[in-house]
Amino acid sequence: MSQRESGYERKERDLYETPEWVTQALVPHIPARVRNVWEPAAGSGKMVRALESAGYSVVGTDIDHGKDFLTWNGPILGHAIITNPPYVHAREFIERAINLMFAGGGVVAMLLRTDFD
């Protein structure tokens, strides 16, 4: 994954929260069967609130609130995992989400920079 030097200091834990309009742009692409969403890098909850306003039941967790998605051993908290992962852990978030959702036919949506792939 390439990095661009912006001249700005990086935020701790890559806390770059998703503006509401970005989440709203994603909503039409979420399969109709999805009603329950897990947002595992919720930060202050901007994506959670945007998804809730679109009619989803959302559980937001975050490492800063004691729930580390990459080591989570609890129950799966939704039919879909939708998040803007911390860039430094994006690959791990993708792999973990796919592994968690695979058995139950769940959905994974990751908001990433366009040059991620």
Side-chain angles (χ1 to χ4, degrees), residues 32 71 75:
T71 60

Side-chain angles (χ1 to χ4, degrees), residues 45-98:
K46 288 183 179 183
M47 272 187 88
V48 170
R49 288 188 296 278
L51 289 165
E52 286 174 337
S53 71
Y56 296 95
S57 174
V58 184
V59 174
T61 59
D62 195 273
I63 193 169
D64 284 341
H65 301 114
K67 302 264 193 298
D68 184 348
F69 178 67
L70 298 178
T71 60
W72 176 258
N73 288 321
I76 296 172
L77 301 175
H79 300 121
I81 295 173
I82 300 174
T83 193
N84 176 359
Y87 297 130
V88 297
H89 297 295
R91 181 173 301 279
E92 294 96 333
F93 263 70
I94 293 166
E95 290 171 358
R96 178 95 166 120
I98 289 171

